[in-house]
Amino acid sequence: MTRALQSLRMVFFPADGKGIPVGVFVIIVAFMVLVAGLAPLLAPVDPNTQNLMGRLKPPGTVARGTLFVLGSDELGRDLLSRLMYGARVSLSVAFLSVLLSGLVGTVLGMVAGYKRGWVETVIMRVVDIFLSIPAILLAIITVAVLGPGFVNVILVLALTRWPRYARVAYGQTLSVANMPYVRLSTAMGASWVRILALHIFPNIIAALSVVATLEFGLMVLFEAGLSFLGLGVQPPTASWGAMLSVGRNYVSNAWWIATFPGICLFLLVLSVNLIGDRLSDYLNPKSR
């Protein structure tokens, strides 16, 4: 346990002291996850409670006994509470879509890289077809067909991003499949499912973890983009993208509605991307 903690400290808090330690961004992400998980306990008021006498109040204003720490929106709803609940939506959609797309893409990529032949041809040509279509365009079209909603957004994002994992898993499997221990397991009669699960997957999980980290930030942006267009989680559920969409109409007289969700999105995506870059450098011996 102590050795694992020391390894994590070396990865995210390097001793060279150059620049901002990536661990700072790990703390930012952890803080957002904590706030999202404890939103029902931390939120000052219900995020959907309207206070028409407190519409478009700037940060620090008190209206009808409610303190709007970060201001209120066009319906008098507390912006801080909606930011907390919006974090739950963004993080949940990103995590579940990364998990689902990673599972599907990894399995198909490993099967294609190990089985080869017609299986490889079919899977990788399907991957090429999906990669030839702009991801956001495919997501918009699919959501328009299936309809908006929390579950549908997760399915759509997983559908558009699984080829990325399939590509990485395929390439990594090709490099591992010819290793002596894999050939020995095959000669001893081990099934291909057992070989993939016990011998190949543990050796490619590092590369897949980097992809998943970078994809997480992208999923946050995709969810916000779909919500911004009205194709994501539907009102009155709080969502950072939907808050940005509303806030653009009030930039001149209520800048806080769009500014604070934008800052949260910026910090989350920046932090996740920097963490992914640091993991990539650490797990790639050639970059050390």
Side-chain angles (χ1 to χ4, degrees):
M1 183 67 178
T2 303
R3 185 174 300 176
L5 291 176
Q6 291 177 348
S7 298
L8 288 175
R9 184 186 63 81
M10 292 176 60
V11 174
F12 298 116
F13 293 94
D16 55 19
K18 296 180 180 179
I20 301 176
V22 178
V24 173
F25 300 100
V26 174
I27 294 174
I28 292 175
V29 174
F31 175 76
M32 290 188 176
V33 172
L34 181 65
V35 169
L38 299 179
L41 300 176
L42 298 178
V45 296
D46 189 302
N48 298 324
T49 299
Q50 299 182 13
N51 182 354
L52 298 181
M53 296 297 293
R55 295 176 65 251
L56 304 178
K57 296 297 183 181
T61 301
V62 177
R64 295 184 62 183
T66 301
L67 172 62
F68 297 112
V69 177
L70 296 182
S72 62
D73 63 8
E74 80 286 1
L75 296 176
R77 296 172 297 192
D78 181 52
L79 197 63
L80 177 59
S81 299
R82 293 187 65 77
L83 280 176
M84 292 181 177
Y85 277 84
R88 292 167 65 92
V89 172
S90 295
L91 292 172
S92 298
V93 169
F95 176 78
L96 293 175
S97 59
V98 165
L99 183 64
L100 183 57
S101 60
L103 177 62
V104 174
T106 299
V107 170
L108 292 178
M110 288 195 303
V111 171
Y114 182 77
K115 300 292 285 185
R116 308 298 297 272
W118 67 268
V119 175
E120 174 191 17
T121 301
V122 171
I123 292 177
M124 298 315 295
R125 294 300 76 76
V126 173
V127 169
D128 291 338
I129 291 173
F130 273 85
L131 291 177
S132 66
I133 305 173
I136 189 63
L137 177 61
L138 180 61
I140 291 173
I141 294 174
T142 309
V143 169
V145 173
L146 296 178
F150 182 81
V151 176
N152 285 349
V153 169
I154 294 173
L155 294 176
V156 166
L157 294 180
L159 176 66
T160 58
R161 300 308 298 175
W162 69 267
R164 177 87 182 274
Y165 297 92
R167 276 286 189 186
V168 175
Y170 170 73
Q172 293 290 318
T173 301
L174 288 178
S175 63
V176 175
N178 292 322
M179 299 297 289
Y181 58 86
V182 176
R183 294 202 302 267
L184 180 60
S185 298
T186 304
M188 293 178 64
S191 65
W192 64 271
V193 175
R194 181 181 179 84
I195 292 174
L196 290 180
L198 298 182
H199 299 297
I200 293 182
F201 178 71
N203 288 283
I204 69 173
I205 191 172
L208 293 171
S209 299
V210 174
V211 175
T213 303
L214 297 174
E215 284 287 302
F216 187 90
L218 192 59
M219 292 300 98
V220 172
L221 286 179
F222 275 6
E223 184 279 327
L226 291 174
S227 297
F228 184 88
L229 297 174
L231 299 174
V233 179
Q234 296 299 289
T237 303
S239 170
W240 288 349
M243 295 168 69
L244 282 171
S245 180
V246 171
R248 63 177 175 169
N249 299 319
Y250 300 94
V251 172
S252 60
N253 60 334
W255 55 267
W256 52 89
I257 299 178
T259 300
F260 291 120
I263 292 175
C264 290
L265 276 173
F266 170 77
L267 288 177
L268 178 58
V269 175
L270 175 66
S271 300
V272 171
N273 285 342
L274 290 176
I275 292 170
D277 289 342
R278 184 68 183 95
L279 284 176
S280 178
D281 294 339
Y282 180 76
L283 296 174
N284 184 9
K286 295 181 181 180
S287 64
R288 298 181 190 177

